[in-house]
C-alpha cells in the first residue's frame, strides 16, 4: 500500500499468546486512514485476536501498536476504545430495548442520547424508526448487526473494526450492511478494518487486503491481490474458498 | 440434662443408621463420623467456653473470635479461590462485620460486655457472614463466566471495569442476600429459630427469648448485606488489570 497515506493504525512485530498458545506471530503492517482494509484468512488465523489487541481488550505479548501515530499505551483505555470501535459477529446486546442498547455508549459516559440523534442513527443503519422501543429479543440477526454497528457509531470512532458482521446474514441483509459501511466510510471518513470470509466481499469493498494464516500476515496489498495471489499459501487458501 | 439422659439421645442417631442399612443408602459411615465429630467438637467448645467465661479475660475472648474468623476464612476461601487475594478479602470482611455489629451492640449498651454475650453473638455473626460469603462467591464467579461477552461489550464501548461488571455484581449481591431476607419474612410462622427455642427450653421467658431473637435477626440482616457488598466491591477489581482488561486467568478455578 502507498507509503504516503496517513496510518490510522500501525502494528510493529505484534505477537500474542493466550493459554500457552501463540496466536499472533510478529505481525507488522498498517491500516491507512479513511480507507477500507479487509482481513481474510482461515479460521484460527488470529484475526479476531488482532482486533481485541487494537481495541485494547487484550494486551500484546510483544511488539507495539500505534493508533494515529501514538502508542496505544499512551491513551487512557476508555479513550482508546471510544476512538477505535469494534462490532463483533456475536452482536452482543444488553437486555432491554433498541434505544437502551443504542444509548449505552453515552450512558457509560453519564450522558443521554437525544431521541432525534437515536432516530438519525436508525435511519443511517436502515432500521425502522418505530423499532426504537422494540425489545432486542424481537430483532432478527440482521437487525441486531445493524443495531450493533449503530451503537458503535454513537462514540464517533475514528477507526471501526468489523468482525464478520455479515457472516450469518441473508444476501439482502448482507448487501444492506455493505452499503451502510461504504456510506459510513464516505460520509465520515472513518477508517474501516473488516474481517470477512467472503472473498468477493473483500475484493469489491476493500481498498486493501491482508491475508492472515496461522497467526501471520502472509500477503498484503490492493484487494485485487485475491484475484491473483503470489504467495503459495494464499493461492491454496483462495482456491479452497472459491471451490 | 445429665450425660445418661443425653446418651438416650443417641437413639436419634441409631434410627437413620438402621434406615440407611435397610434401604442400602450407604450413609452409615458418614452418619457415624458426623455424630462422633459433633459430640467431640461441641463438648470441646462447651468446656472451652466454660473456661473462657470463668476466666473473664478479654484476651481469651479475642482469641476465640480470631479462631472463628480463621475457621470461617478457611471454609469460604475454597469457593473464591479464582479471585486473587480472596483470603485477605474474607478476613477483612469478617473483621469489619464483627467490629461493626459488636461496636453497635456494646457501644449502645444493647448487650453487656461479657463473654457470655460476645462469644455466642460473634459466632452467629461470623458463621452467617461465612455462609453469605460462600453464596456470594459461588454466584459471582458463575455470573462473571456466564456474562463474559456482556462485560467485554461494555469495556469495548469505553466503559470502566466497574460499569462492565455492575450487573453481575448487583445480581450476585441480591441473590446471596435474598434467602436471608425471605427466611425472615416467615420466621415464627413455619419454624421457631433454634436459639429462641433453646432459650425457652432452658426456662427463659418466651417474650424475652423473642426480643433477643429479634436482635439476632436484625444483626444477621446487616451481616448479610454488608458481607455481600464488601466482598463484592473488593473482589471485582482483581478481575481486571491496570489497562482495564478482563484477565481471564484470574477467573478460572
Amino acid at each position: 500500500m502507498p507509503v504516503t497515506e496517513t496510518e490510522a493504525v500501525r502494528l510493529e512485530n505484534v505477537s500474542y499468546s493466550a493459554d500457552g498458545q501463540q496466536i499472533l506471530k510478529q505481525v507488522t503492517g498498517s491500516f491507512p486512514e479513511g480507507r477500507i482494509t479487509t482481513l481474510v484468512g482461515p479460521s484460527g488465523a488470529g484475526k479476531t485476536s488482532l482486533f481485541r489487541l487494537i481495541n485494547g481488550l487484550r494486551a500484546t505479548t510483544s511488539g507495539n501498536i500505534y493508533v494515529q501515530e501514538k502508542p496505544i499505551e499512551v491513551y487512557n483505555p476508555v479513550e482508546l476504545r471510544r476512538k477505535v470501535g469494534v462490532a463483533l459477529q456475536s452482536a452482543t446486546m444488553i437486555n432491554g430495548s433498541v434505544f437502551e442498547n443504542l444509548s449505552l455508549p453515552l450512558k457509560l459516559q453519564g450522558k443521554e442520547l437525544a431521541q432525534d440523534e437515536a432516530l438519525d442513527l436508525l435511519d443511517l443503519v436502515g432500521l425502522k424508526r418505530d423499532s426504537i422501543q422494540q425489545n432486542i429479543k424481537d430483532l432478527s440477526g440482521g437487525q441486531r448487526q445493524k443495531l450493533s454497528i449503530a451503537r458503535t457509531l454513537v462514540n464517533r470512532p475514528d477507526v471501526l473494526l468489523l468482525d464478520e458482521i455479515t457472516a450469518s446474514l441473508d444476501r439482502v441483509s448482507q448487501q444492506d450492511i455493505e452499503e451502510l459501511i461504504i456510506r459510513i466510510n464516505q460520509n465520515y471518513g472513518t477508517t474501516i478494518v473488516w474481517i470477512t470470509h467472503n472473498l468477493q466481499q473483500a475484493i469489491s469493498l476493500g481498498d486493501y487486503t491482508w491475508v492472515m494464516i496461522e497467526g501471520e500476515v502472509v500477503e498484503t496489498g490492493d484487494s485485487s491481490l485475491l484475484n491473483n495471489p503470489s504467495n503459495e499459501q494464499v493461492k491454496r487458501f483462495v482456491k479452497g474458498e472459491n471451490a | 440434662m445429665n450425660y445418661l439422659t443425653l446418651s438416650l439421645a443417641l437413639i436419634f442417631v441409631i434410627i437413620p443408621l438402621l434406615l440407611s442399612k435397610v434401604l442400602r443408602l450407604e450413609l452409615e459411615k458418614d452418619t457415624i463420623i458426623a455424630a462422633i465429630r459433633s459430640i467431640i467438637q461441641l463438648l470441646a467448645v462447651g468446656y472451652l467456653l466454660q473456661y473462657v467465661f470463668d476466666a473473664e479475660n478479654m484476651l481469651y475472648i479475642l482469641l476465640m473470635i480470631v479462631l472463628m474468623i480463621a475457621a470461617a476464612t478457611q471454609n469460604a476461601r475454597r469457593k473464591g479461590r479464582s479471585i486473587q487475594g480472596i483470603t485477605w478479602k474474607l478476613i477483612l470482611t469478617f473483621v469489619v462485620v464483627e467490629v461493626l455489629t459488636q461496636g453497635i451492640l456494646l457501644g449502645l449498651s444493647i448487650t453487656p460486655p461479657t463473654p457470655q454475650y460476645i462469644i455466642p453473638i460473634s459466632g452467629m455473626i461470623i458463621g452467617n457472614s461465612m455462609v453469605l460469603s460462600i453464596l456470594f462467591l459461588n454466584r459471582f464467579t458463575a455470573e462473571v463466566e456466564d456474562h463474559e461477552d456482556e462485560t467485554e461489550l461494555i469495556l469495548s464501548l469505553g466503559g470502566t471495569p466497574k460499569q462492565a461488571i455492575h450487573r453481575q455484581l448487583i445480581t450476585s449481591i441480591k441473590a446471596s442476600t435474598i434467602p436471608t431476607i425471605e427466611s425472615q419474612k416467615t420466621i415464627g410462622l413455619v419454624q421457631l429459630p433454634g436459639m429462641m427455642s433453646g432459650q425457652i427450653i432452658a426456662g427463659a421467658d418466651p417474650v424475652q427469648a423473642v426480643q433477643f431473637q429479634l436482635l439476632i435477626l436484625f444483626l444477621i440482616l446487616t451481616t448479610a448485606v454488608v458481607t455481600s457488598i464488601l466482598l463484592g466491591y473488593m473482589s471485582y477489581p482483581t478481575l481486571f488489570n491496570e489497562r482495564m482488561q478482563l484477565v481471564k486467568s484470574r477467573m478460572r478455578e
Side-chain angles (χ1 to χ4, degrees), chain A residues 52 58 72 81 108 155, chain B residues 152 155 157-158 163 243-244:
Chain A
R52 287 175 186 272
R58 296 277 182 276
I72 53 170
R81 288 164 190 164
L108 295 172
N155 277 334
Chain B
E152 289 218 317
L155 289 176
L157 289 171
Q163 289 171 323
R243 292 294 298 165
M244 298 187 188

Side-chain angles (χ1 to χ4, degrees), chain B residues 135-208:
Chain B
L135 283 176
F136 172 80
L137 291 170
N138 256 342
R139 183 62 183 253
F140 185 58
T141 44
E143 282 285 324
V144 171
E145 292 237 10
D146 292 349
H147 298 279
E148 195 188 320
D149 280 0
E150 213 173 290
T151 306
E152 289 218 317
L153 164 75
I154 293 172
L155 289 176
S156 76
L157 289 171
T160 61
K162 189 179 173 185
Q163 289 171 323
I165 209 85
H166 183 259
R167 201 189 71 82
Q168 292 88 311
L169 193 60
I170 297 300
T171 306
S172 310
I173 290 173
K174 272 188 181 171
S176 55
T177 51
I178 279 173
T180 304
I181 297 167
E182 286 302 313
S183 71
Q184 294 199 3
K185 284 183 188 168
T186 56
I187 206 148
L189 297 175
V190 182
Q191 59 168 355
L192 292 178
M195 192 203 71
M196 195 178 101
S197 308
Q199 275 190 306
I200 295 170
I201 291 167
D205 169 22
V207 177
Q208 271 273 298

Side-chain angles (χ1 to χ4, degrees), chain B residues 18-249:
Chain B
L18 286 174
L19 286 172
S20 172
K21 188 86 182 156
V22 173
L23 298 172
R24 293 181 187 163
L25 300 175
E26 293 179 2
L27 292 171
E28 298 96 296
K29 193 180 160 195
D30 282 337
T31 309
I32 292 169
I33 290 174
I36 292 172
R37 275 190 66 161
S38 25
I39 292 168
I40 295 171
Q41 285 166 202
L42 284 179
L43 282 177
V45 166
Y47 283 114
L48 188 65
L49 285 178
Q50 197 162 36
Y51 179 77
V52 173
F53 289 174
D54 291 344
E56 284 196 348
N57 188 330
M58 212 53 184
L59 195 70
Y60 289 150
I61 299 175
L62 281 176
L63 204 64
M64 284 291 288
I65 294 170
V66 168
L67 274 174
M68 287 176 194
I69 291 178
T73 306
Q74 178 62 25
N75 207 8
R77 65 194 286 265
R78 277 174 290 183
K79 292 290 171 193
R81 62 188 164 201
S82 56
I83 294 166
Q84 232 177 30
I86 191 62
T87 305
W88 292 108
K89 290 178 174 65
L90 283 165
I91 291 174
L92 189 62
T93 303
F94 298 145
V95 169
V96 168
V97 165
E98 170 71 5
V99 169
L100 176 73
T101 48
Q102 289 290 4
I104 294 171
L105 289 176
L106 299 176
L108 298 176
S109 299
I110 299 170
T111 54
T114 58
Q116 282 87 339
Y117 280 89
I118 298 175
I119 294 173
I121 292 176
S122 295
M124 282 186 263
I125 293 165
I126 296 166
N128 188 64
S129 187
M130 177 192 74
V131 173
L132 256 294
S133 302
I134 292 171
L135 283 176
F136 172 80
L137 291 170
N138 256 342
R139 183 62 183 253
F140 185 58
T141 44
E143 282 285 324
V144 171
E145 292 237 10
D146 292 349
H147 298 279
E148 195 188 320
D149 280 0
E150 213 173 290
T151 306
E152 289 218 317
L153 164 75
I154 293 172
L155 289 176
S156 76
L157 289 171
T160 61
K162 189 179 173 185
Q163 289 171 323
I165 209 85
H166 183 259
R167 201 189 71 82
Q168 292 88 311
L169 193 60
I170 297 300
T171 306
S172 310
I173 290 173
K174 272 188 181 171
S176 55
T177 51
I178 279 173
T180 304
I181 297 167
E182 286 302 313
S183 71
Q184 294 199 3
K185 284 183 188 168
T186 56
I187 206 148
L189 297 175
V190 182
Q191 59 168 355
L192 292 178
M195 192 203 71
M196 195 178 101
S197 308
Q199 275 190 306
I200 295 170
I201 291 167
D205 169 22
V207 177
Q208 271 273 298
V210 166
Q211 284 174 347
F212 207 76
Q213 185 63 52
L214 279 174
L215 168 73
I216 299 300
L217 285 183
F218 298 153
L219 270 184
I220 284 174
L221 201 60
T222 293
T223 307
V225 177
V226 172
T227 298
S228 295
I229 292 175
L230 209 57
L231 204 52
Y233 280 86
M234 281 195 292
S235 298
Y236 88 80
T238 60
L239 299 174
F240 301 88
N241 64 17
E242 68 286 353
R243 292 294 298 165
M244 298 187 188
Q245 291 159 342
L246 185 64
V247 185
K248 288 176 129 191
S249 58

Side-chain angles (χ1 to χ4, degrees), chain A residues 143 172 176 232:
Chain A
Q143 288 170 321
V172 177
D176 283 352
E232 283 307 313

